[in-house]
PDB file of all heavy atoms in Angstrom:
ATOM      1  N   ASN A 330      31.555 161.043 -47.718  1.00  0.00           N
ATOM      2  CA  ASN A 330      32.156 159.868 -48.358  1.00  0.00           C
ATOM      3  C   ASN A 330      32.586 158.795 -47.345  1.00  0.00           C
ATOM      4  O   ASN A 330      33.779 158.482 -47.230  1.00  0.00           O
ATOM      5  CB  ASN A 330      33.342 160.270 -49.227  1.00  0.00           C
ATOM      6  CG  ASN A 330      32.923 160.984 -50.482  1.00  0.00           C
ATOM      7  OD1 ASN A 330      31.748 161.256 -50.692  1.00  0.00           O
ATOM      8  ND2 ASN A 330      33.873 161.296 -51.329  1.00  0.00           N
ATOM      9  N   PRO A 331      31.653 158.222 -46.608  1.00  0.00           N
ATOM     10  CA  PRO A 331      32.046 157.212 -45.618  1.00  0.00           C
ATOM     11  C   PRO A 331      32.638 155.961 -46.263  1.00  0.00           C
ATOM     12  O   PRO A 331      32.135 155.494 -47.283  1.00  0.00           O
ATOM     13  CB  PRO A 331      30.736 156.883 -44.903  1.00  0.00           C
ATOM     14  CG  PRO A 331      29.670 157.245 -45.877  1.00  0.00           C
ATOM     15  CD  PRO A 331      30.202 158.404 -46.670  1.00  0.00           C
ATOM     16  N   SER A 332      33.713 155.453 -45.660  1.00  0.00           N
ATOM     17  CA  SER A 332      34.280 154.176 -46.084  1.00  0.00           C
ATOM     18  C   SER A 332      33.340 153.071 -45.597  1.00  0.00           C
ATOM     19  O   SER A 332      32.403 153.320 -44.823  1.00  0.00           O
ATOM     20  CB  SER A 332      35.664 153.990 -45.462  1.00  0.00           C
ATOM     21  OG  SER A 332      35.542 153.910 -44.048  1.00  0.00           O
ATOM     22  N   GLU A 333      33.605 151.840 -46.009  1.00  0.00           N
ATOM     23  CA  GLU A 333      32.785 150.725 -45.536  1.00  0.00           C
ATOM     24  C   GLU A 333      32.869 150.613 -44.018  1.00  0.00           C
ATOM     25  O   GLU A 333      31.862 150.359 -43.348  1.00  0.00           O
ATOM     26  CB  GLU A 333      33.221 149.421 -46.202  1.00  0.00           C
ATOM     27  CG  GLU A 333      32.815 149.340 -47.660  1.00  0.00           C
ATOM     28  CD  GLU A 333      33.162 148.000 -48.288  1.00  0.00           C
ATOM     29  OE1 GLU A 333      33.062 146.965 -47.593  1.00  0.00           O
ATOM     30  OE2 GLU A 333      33.523 147.994 -49.469  1.00  0.00           O
ATOM     31  N   GLU A 334      34.059 150.797 -43.465  1.00  0.00           N
ATOM     32  CA  GLU A 334      34.241 150.707 -42.015  1.00  0.00           C
ATOM     33  C   GLU A 334      33.450 151.793 -41.286  1.00  0.00           C
ATOM     34  O   GLU A 334      32.760 151.528 -40.304  1.00  0.00           O
ATOM     35  CB  GLU A 334      35.722 150.837 -41.668  1.00  0.00           C
ATOM     36  CG  GLU A 334      36.012 150.726 -40.191  1.00  0.00           C
ATOM     37  CD  GLU A 334      37.499 150.840 -39.893  1.00  0.00           C
ATOM     38  OE1 GLU A 334      38.285 150.085 -40.485  1.00  0.00           O
ATOM     39  OE2 GLU A 334      37.851 151.701 -39.064  1.00  0.00           O
ATOM     40  N   THR A 335      33.542 153.014 -41.767  1.00  0.00           N
ATOM     41  CA  THR A 335      32.812 154.120 -41.144  1.00  0.00           C
ATOM     42  C   THR A 335      31.311 153.920 -41.295  1.00  0.00           C
ATOM     43  O   THR A 335      30.550 154.205 -40.373  1.00  0.00           O
ATOM     44  CB  THR A 335      33.254 155.472 -41.741  1.00  0.00           C
ATOM     45  OG1 THR A 335      34.651 155.620 -41.525  1.00  0.00           O
ATOM     46  CG2 THR A 335      32.508 156.635 -41.114  1.00  0.00           C
ATOM     47  N   PHE A 336      30.885 153.400 -42.445  1.00  0.00           N
ATOM     48  CA  PHE A 336      29.458 153.151 -42.636  1.00  0.00           C
ATOM     49  C   PHE A 336      28.959 152.112 -41.625  1.00  0.00           C
ATOM     50  O   PHE A 336      27.855 152.251 -41.096  1.00  0.00           O
ATOM     51  CB  PHE A 336      29.161 152.699 -44.064  1.00  0.00           C
ATOM     52  CG  PHE A 336      27.692 152.665 -44.360  1.00  0.00           C
ATOM     53  CD1 PHE A 336      26.988 153.839 -44.577  1.00  0.00           C
ATOM     54  CD2 PHE A 336      27.003 151.468 -44.387  1.00  0.00           C
ATOM     55  CE1 PHE A 336      25.625 153.819 -44.823  1.00  0.00           C
ATOM     56  CE2 PHE A 336      25.646 151.433 -44.629  1.00  0.00           C
ATOM     57  CZ  PHE A 336      24.946 152.606 -44.851  1.00  0.00           C
ATOM     58  N   GLU A 337      29.772 151.099 -41.340  1.00  0.00           N
ATOM     59  CA  GLU A 337      29.392 150.117 -40.320  1.00  0.00           C
ATOM     60  C   GLU A 337      29.222 150.801 -38.965  1.00  0.00           C
ATOM     61  O   GLU A 337      28.288 150.497 -38.224  1.00  0.00           O
ATOM     62  CB  GLU A 337      30.420 148.988 -40.233  1.00  0.00           C
ATOM     63  CG  GLU A 337      30.358 148.013 -41.391  1.00  0.00           C
ATOM     64  CD  GLU A 337      29.014 147.325 -41.536  1.00  0.00           C
ATOM     65  OE1 GLU A 337      28.443 146.891 -40.510  1.00  0.00           O
ATOM     66  OE2 GLU A 337      28.520 147.221 -42.677  1.00  0.00           O
ATOM     67  N   GLU A 338      30.123 151.718 -38.622  1.00  0.00           N
ATOM     68  CA  GLU A 338      30.039 152.461 -37.357  1.00  0.00           C
ATOM     69  C   GLU A 338      28.824 153.386 -37.345  1.00  0.00           C
ATOM     70  O   GLU A 338      28.302 153.722 -36.274  1.00  0.00           O
ATOM     71  CB  GLU A 338      31.305 153.275 -37.141  1.00  0.00           C
ATOM     72  CG  GLU A 338      32.550 152.449 -36.921  1.00  0.00           C
ATOM     73  CD  GLU A 338      33.812 153.291 -36.860  1.00  0.00           C
ATOM     74  OE1 GLU A 338      33.720 154.517 -36.643  1.00  0.00           O
ATOM     75  OE2 GLU A 338      34.890 152.711 -37.039  1.00  0.00           O
ATOM     76  N   LEU A 339      28.381 153.787 -38.509  1.00  0.00           N
ATOM     77  CA  LEU A 339      27.250 154.700 -38.642  1.00  0.00           C
ATOM     78  C   LEU A 339      25.902 153.997 -38.479  1.00  0.00           C
ATOM     79  O   LEU A 339      24.909 154.635 -38.115  1.00  0.00           O
ATOM     80  CB  LEU A 339      27.334 155.373 -40.020  1.00  0.00           C
ATOM     81  CG  LEU A 339      26.549 156.629 -40.289  1.00  0.00           C
ATOM     82  CD1 LEU A 339      26.911 157.734 -39.313  1.00  0.00           C
ATOM     83  CD2 LEU A 339      26.789 157.089 -41.718  1.00  0.00           C
ATOM     84  N   LYS A 340      25.859 152.695 -38.682  1.00  0.00           N
ATOM     85  CA  LYS A 340      24.583 151.961 -38.681  1.00  0.00           C
ATOM     86  C   LYS A 340      23.744 152.151 -37.424  1.00  0.00           C
ATOM     87  O   LYS A 340      22.530 152.345 -37.531  1.00  0.00           O
ATOM     88  CB  LYS A 340      24.811 150.483 -38.981  1.00  0.00           C
ATOM     89  CG  LYS A 340      25.102 150.232 -40.445  1.00  0.00           C
ATOM     90  CD  LYS A 340      25.267 148.755 -40.731  1.00  0.00           C
ATOM     91  CE  LYS A 340      25.513 148.519 -42.198  1.00  0.00           C
ATOM     92  NZ  LYS A 340      25.664 147.071 -42.487  1.00  0.00           N
ATOM     93  N   PRO A 341      24.309 152.123 -36.204  1.00  0.00           N
ATOM     94  CA  PRO A 341      23.449 152.366 -35.036  1.00  0.00           C
ATOM     95  C   PRO A 341      22.813 153.760 -35.057  1.00  0.00           C
ATOM     96  O   PRO A 341      21.681 153.938 -34.606  1.00  0.00           O
ATOM     97  CB  PRO A 341      24.400 152.230 -33.840  1.00  0.00           C
ATOM     98  CG  PRO A 341      25.568 151.457 -34.348  1.00  0.00           C
ATOM     99  CD  PRO A 341      25.675 151.775 -35.810  1.00  0.00           C
ATOM    100  N   TYR A 342      23.517 154.724 -35.613  1.00  0.00           N
ATOM    101  CA  TYR A 342      22.977 156.084 -35.699  1.00  0.00           C
ATOM    102  C   TYR A 342      21.905 156.181 -36.784  1.00  0.00           C
ATOM    103  O   TYR A 342      20.957 156.957 -36.651  1.00  0.00           O
ATOM    104  CB  TYR A 342      24.101 157.089 -35.928  1.00  0.00           C
ATOM    105  CG  TYR A 342      25.111 157.067 -34.809  1.00  0.00           C
ATOM    106  CD1 TYR A 342      26.355 156.480 -34.978  1.00  0.00           C
ATOM    107  CD2 TYR A 342      24.792 157.583 -33.554  1.00  0.00           C
ATOM    108  CE1 TYR A 342      27.272 156.423 -33.940  1.00  0.00           C
ATOM    109  CE2 TYR A 342      25.697 157.539 -32.506  1.00  0.00           C
ATOM    110  CZ  TYR A 342      26.933 156.952 -32.705  1.00  0.00           C
ATOM    111  OH  TYR A 342      27.829 156.903 -31.669  1.00  0.00           O
ATOM    112  N   ILE A 343      22.039 155.383 -37.820  1.00  0.00           N
ATOM    113  CA  ILE A 343      20.994 155.322 -38.850  1.00  0.00           C
ATOM    114  C   ILE A 343      19.721 154.765 -38.228  1.00  0.00           C
ATOM    115  O   ILE A 343      18.629 155.307 -38.429  1.00  0.00           O
ATOM    116  CB  ILE A 343      21.447 154.470 -40.056  1.00  0.00           C
ATOM    117  CG1 ILE A 343      22.613 155.156 -40.786  1.00  0.00           C
ATOM    118  CG2 ILE A 343      20.277 154.206 -41.000  1.00  0.00           C
ATOM    119  CD1 ILE A 343      23.282 154.293 -41.841  1.00  0.00           C
ATOM    120  N   ARG A 344      19.857 153.697 -37.447  1.00  0.00           N
ATOM    121  CA  ARG A 344      18.680 153.124 -36.768  1.00  0.00           C
ATOM    122  C   ARG A 344      18.068 154.145 -35.812  1.00  0.00           C
ATOM    123  O   ARG A 344      16.845 154.305 -35.757  1.00  0.00           O
ATOM    124  CB  ARG A 344      19.075 151.850 -36.012  1.00  0.00           C
ATOM    125  CG  ARG A 344      19.220 150.643 -36.905  1.00  0.00           C
ATOM    126  CD  ARG A 344      19.370 149.347 -36.124  1.00  0.00           C
ATOM    127  NE  ARG A 344      20.700 149.138 -35.585  1.00  0.00           N
ATOM    128  CZ  ARG A 344      21.750 148.704 -36.279  1.00  0.00           C
ATOM    129  NH1 ARG A 344      21.616 148.454 -37.559  1.00  0.00           N
ATOM    130  NH2 ARG A 344      22.924 148.529 -35.700  1.00  0.00           N
TER     131      ARG A 344
END
Side-chain angles (χ1 to χ4, degrees):
N330 288 4
S332 64
E333 287 184 36
E334 181 179 306
T335 301
F336 190 75
E337 286 301 316
E338 294 174 18
L339 197 58
K340 285 182 178 180
Y342 300 105
I343 294 170
R344 282 190 282 281

